[in-house]
Amino acid sequence: MTDMLRAPAEVKYAEELDWLESIDDGPKPFSWRLSPKMVRLFVLGSERADGLDREISQKWFGDRSFVERSIVTLASDRGLLLIGDPGTGKSWLAELLAAAISRNSTLVVQGTAGTTEDHIKYSWNVSMVIAKGQSRASMIPSPIMTAMERGVIGRFEELTRSTSDVQDALISILSEKYISIPELDEDNIVFAQPGFSIIATANSRDRGVNDLSSALKRRFNFVRIPVVTNKKSEAEIVRFRTSELLRRHQIELDVPPNLLDILLQSFADLRAAAASATSDDEKLESALSTAEQIGVLEDAILHSTFFGDRTLRAETLAGSLVGSLARRSPEDLAILNKYWHGVVEPRSKEDGGDWPQFLEGGRQAIATLS
């Protein structure tokens, strides 16, 4: 296999999926490659009680009920909308579900202000149209149309960032399960094959950007993914994703548990401060998500590897945290400076350990950016 910067889940976990498919004797809806139980097992990992001959790694960390409800929705004729704050793992869960069910998670439309109806239906190869006229051969199907023709899962990222016209075009696809092609006289309807469904994602912070119509809401089952607040679960997610990043970069570097604890505690403190803030000016612009913690840790690891002695230190971690979270100047810097003096400084005196180095590294980073 050719090296990829980021392999899709069906490629990355192909060996696991092949093995699960070979032992799967459960009932499968439509054209699913795995039964619902095996899909859940692929996403959440195996346990000793499953009695399997090999271990299946856990890939998504969250409540089992969210995964089960998502799978049940996709086994029906309704679309699935995963909604939650940025960095809660919505897109990763959508990719894992599509990989397990269809062995293809790449039929994706990215919702933006520039997304048009053509992106979810079809467009035309202009040169072929000029040479031979409009036909199915000169048509360029969208990822959603391709998913319909193959009877697999299509994905729509950031649904609420697309305009109402684009959202309305999804209504007929989700309800009627076909796309008309009025430019053609024959073969002018594409019908969805059994197994087709759509997994869409939306950020709850985008509310008001392009709100979903009530008609479109009725055609989706909503699964709300909460922010992970349990420190143990969050630590597992950060360790899992960071180990993947280290393998991708071919870096051998240990993340000391005490530094991971400092990172988790810092984010917990900053979230608590944001929750008690009385205005947006007193909140960091960052969503303080688990994904941002992973980004801070990756930045610190790469800095330690390329410009340090290949040892992760508290000063480097503090500098990465400040550099990643200080997006507005001077507002965010003022918030971080208050946190460093009001929380980190007392903690460094009381707890010791790596906190004094973390304190000093943060102070230097704030002073540099001020």
Side-chain angles (χ1 to χ4, degrees):
M1 182 187 70
T2 304
D3 287 340
M4 302 179 189
L5 181 61
R6 183 193 179 281
E10 62 272 17
V11 174
K12 185 174 185 177
Y13 301 109
E15 198 258 336
E16 274 191 9
L17 289 167
D18 288 340
W19 186 79
L20 288 172
E21 201 168 334
S22 71
I23 66 166
D24 190 4
D25 57 1
K28 303 179 183 68
F30 311 117
S31 57
W32 286 28
R33 298 288 294 269
L34 292 175
S35 65
K37 284 188 176 181
M38 286 297 184
V39 173
R40 183 186 65 184
L41 194 149
F42 171 72
V43 174
L44 295 176
S46 58
E47 299 175 353
R48 184 173 298 178
D50 294 318
L52 299 179
D53 294 333
R54 58 166 291 176
E55 181 183 1
I56 301 299
S57 61
Q58 185 174 3
K59 303 164 191 69
W60 190 81
F61 296 82
D63 195 294
R64 175 183 294 260
S65 64
F66 300 144
V67 177
E68 292 179 350
R69 177 166 166 76
S70 299
I71 295 169
V72 168
T73 295
L74 294 171
S76 70
D77 62 351
R78 295 172 67 82
L80 170 65
L81 179 61
L82 302 174
I83 187 167
D85 282 354
T88 49
K90 304 180 298 296
S91 297
W92 179 232
L93 177 57
E95 180 178 341
L96 290 170
L97 290 170
I101 292 170
S102 304
R103 293 297 289 266
N104 188 346
S105 64
T106 62
L107 298 173
V108 185
V109 173
Q110 179 65 51
T112 67
T115 303
T116 67
E117 192 173 329
D118 292 351
H119 290 115
I120 63 171
K121 289 187 173 180
Y122 59 89
S123 56
W124 298 96
N125 184 320
V126 177
S127 60
M128 286 186 67
V129 170
I130 293 172
K132 299 181 180 180
Q134 290 178 320
S135 66
R136 288 297 294 271
S138 61
M139 190 177 72
I140 303 173
S142 71
I144 299 298
M145 178 182 277
T146 300
M148 294 175 70
E149 291 181 301
R150 296 180 184 175
V152 297
I153 302 295
R155 295 168 53 204
F156 199 121
E157 290 288 313
E158 310 288 2
L159 179 58
T160 50
R161 290 189 179 273
S162 55
T163 62
S164 57
D165 291 344
V166 175
Q167 293 180 20
D168 289 345
L170 275 180
I171 294 176
S172 62
I173 293 175
L174 289 168
S175 58
E176 306 301 332
K177 300 296 193 294
Y178 67 79
I179 294 177
S180 297
I181 311 169
E183 295 92 339
L184 301 181
D185 295 327
E186 298 179 354
D187 196 17
N188 58 2
I189 298 180
V190 172
F191 291 97
Q193 298 301 303
F196 165 72
S197 191
I198 292 177
I199 305 177
T201 64
N203 281 331
S204 52
R205 292 196 174 201
D206 288 340
R207 189 173 300 154
V209 177
N210 288 298
D211 288 335
L212 301 182
S213 67
S214 57
L216 187 55
K217 286 180 180 177
R218 288 197 302 271
R219 286 158 177 83
F220 278 112
N221 269 356
F222 284 56
V223 174
R224 296 188 178 275
I225 309 296
V227 173
V228 178
T229 55
N230 180 279
K231 280 191 177 181
K232 182 180 178 181
S233 298
E234 194 164 43
E236 289 177 341
I237 297 171
V238 173
R239 287 193 194 97
F240 173 74
R241 299 297 286 177
T242 303
S243 64
E244 286 191 329
L245 293 167
L246 289 172
R247 283 195 297 270
R248 183 193 304 174
H249 291 294
Q250 297 182 337
I251 292 173
E252 294 184 7
L253 186 149
D254 291 330
V255 178
N258 53 324
L259 291 187
L260 182 58
D261 289 341
I262 287 177
L263 178 65
L264 294 170
Q265 185 62 56
S266 298
F267 267 72
D269 293 337
L270 290 167
R271 286 171 186 157
S276 61
T278 56
S279 69
D280 288 341
D281 287 342
E282 297 175 359
K283 299 179 183 178
L284 289 169
E285 188 175 69
S286 164
L288 297 172
S289 67
T290 305
E292 286 179 306
Q293 288 192 62
I294 295 166
V296 168
L297 188 55
E298 181 187 19
D299 180 81
I301 287 170
L302 293 175
H303 195 280
S304 301
T305 300
F306 298 136
F307 301 108
D309 58 0
R310 305 182 70 85
T311 300
L312 182 61
R313 302 186 187 281
E315 301 96 314
T316 308
L317 183 64
S320 296
L321 189 148
V322 171
S324 297
L325 300 187
R327 298 174 182 176
R328 298 174 303 173
S329 182
E331 293 89 350
D332 286 349
L333 282 173
I335 294 169
L336 288 168
N337 190 52
K338 180 180 178 181
Y339 167 67
W340 239 261
H341 282 88
V343 179
V344 178
E345 185 172 350
R347 189 169 282 146
S348 69
K349 294 177 181 178
E350 294 171 8
D351 298 345
D354 286 305
W355 280 102
Q357 291 75 31
F358 186 74
L359 171 67
E360 185 58 31
R363 279 176 171 171
Q364 292 178 5
I366 293 170
T368 301
L369 293 174
S370 296

